[in-house]
Each structure stands twice: as C-alpha cells, then as structure tokens.
Amino acid sequence: MEYLIRFTQWHETFRLAEIQAIADLYTIDLKIVSYSDESPYCLVQLQSEDAARCLMKRSILAQSIHEFWGSADTWDELYTVIKRDTSQWWPRYKQSSFKINFDTYQGSRSSTKKRELINSLSFLAFEGEISMTSPEQEFTVFEQWEWDSVPKKIPHPLKVHFGRLIAHSVRDLVQTFDLKKRTYISTTSMDSELALVTANIALAGPGKIFYDPFVGTGSFPLACAKFGAVGFGSDIDGRSVRGEGGKKSLKGNFEQYGLEKQLGDVFVCDLTNTPVRKARILDGIVCDPPYGVREGLRVLGCKDVEKFANLVEKGKRTYRNPDFVPPKKPYSFTAMLDDILNFASDTLVDNGRLSFWMPTANDEDQEIAVPTHPCLEIVTVCTQVFTRWSRRLITYRRLPDSQVDASALALRKERPKANGRTADDLNDFRRQYFKGFKLDSPTPDVAP
C-alpha cells in the first residue's frame, strides 16, 4: 500500500534518515517510492495503516502521513487518476463525516479558488456531514508550485496530490522541549528539534541505555528519555552538570518534564579518564562534542608536569581538598574523534548506535573527513549547513565481532598520536575557523 508523507521543508538531509531509523526501530518494512530534498512530499510503501501510524508517533521532521489516492501534473489528470485507481474505496467513507483540507507549497490560492477546486471533487459522492472541527475522515489536496511563483504568471502548480489522512506526527514535541521554555540551559545546549531527531536516528526506545559523554545541560539524554530510554551522562565541567542546584540543574530539567525516572545518573569526568568500564552494555551513545573554538579543547592532565608534580602540600593530598581544581592540558581534535569511536566500539552492544555531531568546512579542500573505525559501520551522514562551515550528524552501527576486520583493527591500534602543545596545533578546524576558512597562501603576504 502506498502512503504520502508530508515532511516539513527543513533539515532536508535528516528527513529520510529519521524516518528510516524509526522503521528500523519498529521493524517496519519501508520502501521509498519517490523522494526529493526539494519537495516536502515523499511517497512510500508500507504494509498497513498501523505501520504508518507507528512512524508518525515518533517522527519529528514529518508533519503527517496520508493514504495515497493519486498524483498528477494537472487537476484534470488528477480527477482521472482518482476515478481510475480508488473508486473501490469510496463506499467505505460514503456515510462518514468528512472535511477536505488544502495544502499549498511555495504557492497560494484564494479562498474562492480553494472552494472551487474542493467542490470539483464532488464526483467522490460522499454523503456524510461536512465537519470542519471533528470529522471522521480528513482528505487533503497538496499543491506543489515552482519556487516564488506568481499565480498570474504561473497559473498551474507543478504537481497535485490527493490523500486520506492517517495520522499526524509528534512534531509538537519541538515546542514542548523548546529551550526558551526550559529552566536550565547553556550556550551549548542543543536545540530541541535536533536533539529529538538525533535520539530517533540513534534508535532510542524503552528498555535501552543511552549515554552522553559531553552531557552539558542534558539535551540529548532528555530527548532519549522522552522516547523511553534511560539516560546517563558525564562532563568534564562539573558546573554544567550541577548547575545552580534545584530546578536550575540537569536533574531539574528532567523533573520539569516529568522524566526523572528515566535519568540514570550524571557524573564528572572526561572521555580519556572515564570510570565507565569497557563492557558492551550501552544501546546508544549520543553527543555533541566540543569543537574547541571558544576555548581550546582540554582534557584532564598536566601540560606542565613539573608544576603539578607535587600534589601533596603540608602533609595533605591537595586533590582531596574541596576546592581542588584538577589540571587540564590541550587536547587534539582528531584524537577526540578517535577516542569517541574507540569508546563506542568498547561499550556498544551489537547493532547499538553512536550518533555524534562534528564540524567541517564547506570548502571541499578544507573538509574534515568522516572518521572511521573497523568495529563501526557508517549508517548515515546528515548535514546542517551554515555560512562558511557545516556540522554533520554522523551515525554508526556497532558491528558484531564476527564482522570486524581484525587486520584493520590491529593497524588502527598502531597509529601514532597527535603532537602539539597549543590549541591551534591540535585543532585544524579551530585554526581554519578563525581564518574564515580561507586556504593557506602558497607564499606569505608581504607588505609593500
């Protein structure tokens, strides 16, 4: 059976990744019949209406799904298609109360014209009451117009679709979890829409354990918890985890949404000094690692070993003092990416997913390659484009050990570590960011 998904025309490269992930989560046989990033309409094949409803009860980037009744280049052709392909369905809805909606994309119609076109579908011969508030059945006309079209110059849409509404999505969760309404946030809190989409692509669900090693104020564990997973998190900065206490804290955010039972725990550490044991226990890892732009990336350790060589003062170990601040040292951006993948390979269950964000330059000559690992298979790469740079949501699947290339894994362990002492030495993205992503000149500029 064919169904028409009406997507939001936003985050286009994420839309199929999300809907396919939801299908995987619920073991739904989903086939994409037609799709384009330039259109909000996607035609799919599903086994039943229940499968269609299942997709919508998790989707953030879809608006609704409809039983597909026909599509054509013109209205006259649409009438022919509907009469030819769907007349056997009409008796099911003959006595039902109904309404017909009108949805135009990149175009507009006057109220008079909409009413005229809706009345032209009277050949369906529905006899039920027309109800604008609580109909038993809803049908929708979708018109797709050329970009910035003017009706007087372009009188006809590019495409016309017609379908019966099956279900709306849960897109209203974007507003429910809106950062503007959240009690505790920071400048690095991931916006609610992308946090929820990330949780979907990572297959968060009931009975699963998810972890964010750069938890901040908890946007990702919150999104995973909303979909039924138990969320854990850690951060090198204890202040972001603790907040101000009470409602203005990470735990306070979970309480705000009534999800406190879905919070496992949060603790202070960095990824290179984690107390999480190397055991295949996590169903998913979701995170937005720091890019090291505002400040250079740092991990626990001594840049100047001699300065912190003696951590015992007046007979007392200073690291046990309540006001002790552990020393930190610069951290390589590429090493961080490697550490994330290594951690995921050590802790994810078979087919568990890692979804993390990483930046890259828009110029292909400065683009940061998608990192790889022998134990992890790339599932999808989604891109959010800014002016001169972009960030990608990269999702991996933990391969069963029987599918891992042992020789590639051995070679990876022998790779040399990054060298450098400063933030710019260790972070090419940071260096290019402050240069405005301009390529290095072959020779230095010399003032006349």
Side-chain angles (χ1 to χ4, degrees), residues 21-309:
I22 298 170
D24 289 342
L25 180 67
Y26 292 112
T27 61
I28 294 172
D29 184 12
L30 169 70
K31 180 182 178 181
I32 306 298
V33 178
S34 64
Y35 173 78
S36 170
D37 282 352
E38 298 179 357
S39 166
Y41 308 115
C42 175
L43 189 61
V44 301
Q45 281 186 354
L46 296 168
Q47 60 265 42
S48 66
E49 284 190 19
D50 287 341
R53 291 189 181 92
C54 213
L55 291 178
M56 289 301 104
K57 73 180 183 181
R58 284 285 298 260
S59 181
I60 300 300
L61 295 178
Q63 292 184 356
S64 54
I65 192 166
H66 306 257
E67 183 181 68
F68 183 64
W69 281 38
S71 179
D73 295 332
T74 68
W75 274 87
D76 287 338
E77 291 175 5
L78 181 66
Y79 302 147
T80 301
V81 169
I82 294 174
K83 291 174 182 177
R84 182 192 66 208
D85 298 338
T86 69
S87 59
Q88 70 275 17
W89 298 342
W90 301 357
R92 303 177 192 171
Y93 314 111
K94 193 175 184 67
Q95 302 301 326
S96 301
S97 61
F98 72 98
K99 78 183 264 193
I100 298 178
N101 302 304
F102 211 102
D103 183 323
T104 57
Y105 172 65
Q106 296 184 162
S108 61
R109 292 283 198 181
S110 67
S111 298
T112 301
K113 187 61 178 179
K114 288 180 183 179
R115 187 162 50 250
E116 177 187 327
L117 291 170
I118 289 173
N119 288 337
S120 70
L121 296 168
S122 59
F123 61 82
L124 295 170
F126 294 152
E127 297 177 357
E129 177 187 0
I130 297 174
S131 173
M132 304 306 291
T133 55
S134 56
E136 293 173 309
Q137 302 293 335
E138 288 189 46
F139 298 85
T140 305
V141 173
F142 300 96
E143 283 191 335
Q144 182 179 346
W145 292 76
E146 289 186 23
W147 168 249
D148 202 24
S149 58
V150 180
K152 291 183 179 179
K153 296 181 180 179
I154 305 176
H156 305 293
L158 289 172
K159 208 81 174 175
V160 187
H161 314 281
F162 187 69
R164 180 178 67 89
L165 176 67
I166 301 299
H168 291 287
S169 73
V170 290
R171 186 164 173 75
D172 57 339
L173 287 178
V174 174
Q175 294 302 316
T176 302
F177 285 83
D178 188 353
L179 293 182
K180 294 179 181 177
K181 302 174 184 177
R182 194 172 301 173
T183 304
Y184 176 58
I185 63 171
S186 71
T187 55
T188 58
S189 297
M190 178 64 71
D191 78 77
S192 60
E193 182 174 29
L194 290 177
L196 290 161
V197 170
T198 301
N200 269 336
I201 293 177
L203 306 184
K208 293 188 175 185
I209 300 174
F210 270 66
Y211 174 63
D212 181 354
F214 308 94
V215 71
T217 61
S219 291
F220 289 119
L222 269 173
C224 295
K226 178 58 185 176
F227 293 138
V230 175
F232 288 80
S234 63
D235 202 287
I236 191 174
D237 187 350
R239 294 169 300 180
S240 66
V241 173
R242 293 187 294 269
E244 300 176 19
K247 293 183 178 180
K248 288 199 171 185
S249 66
L250 188 152
K251 292 184 178 180
N253 283 342
F254 274 77
E255 292 171 359
Q256 178 181 348
Y257 297 107
L259 295 171
E260 56 269 29
K261 292 183 179 179
Q262 299 301 120
L263 175 61
D265 202 357
V266 289
F267 47 94
V268 180
C269 74
D270 70 44
L271 196 61
T272 63
N273 296 276
T274 177
V276 179
R277 63 190 177 95
K278 290 185 178 181
R280 307 278 297 283
I281 56 175
L282 299 177
D283 296 289
I285 301 169
V286 286
C287 60
D288 182 23
Y291 307 153
V293 173
R294 292 186 181 89
E295 299 178 2
L297 293 172
R298 303 176 76 81
V299 291
L300 295 178
C302 298
K303 178 180 179 182
D304 187 344
V305 178
E306 293 183 0
K307 183 178 178 181
F308 289 95

